[in-house]
Amino acid sequence: MDSLYVGAELSLAHTPNKEVTLEGDKGKFERGVALGLAPRVGFFAAPDILVFAKLGLEAAREKVTSEGEDLTKRKTNVSFVPGLGVEKSFGNFIARVAYEHNFGRSVKNKDDSTISYKATEHRFLLGAAWGF
């Protein structure tokens, strides 16, 4: 089956810090650089067009700070990040358009009572690569 594609993708991602609301208090969500790994499966819709889906995992160190109660919680989280995309080759140049949804991570105290936040993300990606 010549039109089937199976591969993998390694990624680094950074999310800007966000001002958030934590149970009525102002707070801040900070995320370090995330490392991701995703197997990809797709098919060639044409000899130079690849349509793919991926099911990825992403790990990052995250911190939530509540300003009102002066509380901070840090945690390393792993989240599920599926995605869909299309790649087109122009000779050695490859252009990509993709969408990813990070289903979110929870950062909360062990007793679940004082500081809690769950983050989700929608990502629209444009990419370019050069094949050797």
Side-chain angles (χ1 to χ4, degrees):
M1 193 180 231
D2 290 338
S3 64
L4 181 65
Y5 167 84
V6 177
E9 182 175 296
L10 184 64
S11 65
L12 291 172
H14 177 69
T15 302
N17 297 340
K18 299 177 186 179
E19 298 295 322
V20 296
T21 301
L22 304 167
E23 299 172 5
D25 287 333
K26 286 186 179 179
K28 188 179 209 180
F29 175 75
E30 300 174 48
R31 182 177 195 219
V33 174
L35 177 63
L37 178 63
R40 294 187 345 162
V41 176
F43 66 94
F44 287 95
D48 58 347
I49 297 175
L50 171 68
V51 178
F52 66 89
K54 63 183 183 176
L55 301 174
L57 293 176
E58 201 169 82
R61 184 84 175 143
E62 296 169 343
K63 176 177 153 184
V64 175
T65 305
S66 172
E67 294 174 6
E69 298 182 33
D70 195 28
L71 296 170
T72 299
K73 178 65 179 172
R74 289 178 180 85
K75 184 177 180 186
T76 299
N77 279 322
V78 176
S79 55
F80 177 57
V81 186
L84 298 171
V86 176
E87 289 182 356
K88 173 147 177 55
S89 67
F90 302 91
N92 286 349
F93 179 75
I94 300 167
R96 176 197 289 190
V97 176
Y99 167 77
E100 295 176 349
H101 179 76
N102 188 326
F103 273 94
R105 299 91 42 207
S106 292
V107 178
K108 60 179 85 173
N109 278 355
K110 290 184 181 182
D111 63 4
D112 292 339
S113 62
T114 52
I115 186 170
S116 175
Y117 182 70
K118 181 168 180 162
T120 61
E121 292 177 316
H122 297 275
R123 298 181 197 149
F124 296 93
L125 309 167
L126 297 174
W130 185 262
F132 296 97

